[in-house]
Amino acid sequence: MSTTTEEPTTDPFTEQAFRETLRELPPSAKLVAKVLQSGEPLSQGQLVEESLLPDRTVRYALNRLEECDLVDSRYSFSDARKQVYFLSV
């Protein structure tokens, strides 16, 4: 029987660290992060509509945000074919 205790998960980023990481990213990633700050998970299509950026640019921005662990994704509850994105901070 193992007696390991799991530490409570904490956000890897403080607000300051989040801003510093975001500062190094391209403007498209900053805009997508700003749109995601609403707190509601959004699909890529919804992000295109909200940000007014082209689909390809939103996809690039999401990839950059995911590389920096600023954005997470999961399958949509309403349509399992789609993924929704949300800030991991």
Side-chain angles (χ1 to χ4, degrees), residues 65-85:
L65 290 165
E66 284 180 324
E67 287 172 2
C68 296
D69 294 326
L70 297 177
V71 167
D72 281 329
S73 64
R74 63 169 168 76
Y75 287 103
S76 172
F77 295 133
S78 61
D79 186 351
R81 296 171 296 173
K82 295 181 181 179
Q83 284 193 314
V84 291
Y85 300 88

Side-chain angles (χ1 to χ4, degrees), residues 18 22 28-39 65 87:
F18 173 76
L22 200 56
S28 60
K30 293 173 186 170
L31 178 57
V32 169
K34 184 67 174 172
V35 170
L36 287 172
Q37 281 184 329
S38 69
L65 290 165
L87 290 179

Side-chain angles (χ1 to χ4, degrees), residues 28 32 44 48 53-64:
S28 60
V32 169
Q44 185 174 328
V48 167
L53 293 172
D55 186 55
R56 185 176 179 179
T57 304
V58 169
R59 194 167 45 248
Y60 172 75
L62 286 169
N63 286 336
R64 293 296 306 269

Side-chain angles (χ1 to χ4, degrees), residues 9-23:
T9 56
T10 58
D11 290 335
F13 288 101
T14 61
E15 182 68 24
Q16 180 70 21
F18 173 76
R19 290 176 162 273
E20 290 298 320
T21 303
L22 200 56
R23 188 170 282 133

Side-chain angles (χ1 to χ4, degrees), residues 1-6:
M1 180 155 76
S2 176
T3 58
T4 59
T5 58
E6 291 185 32

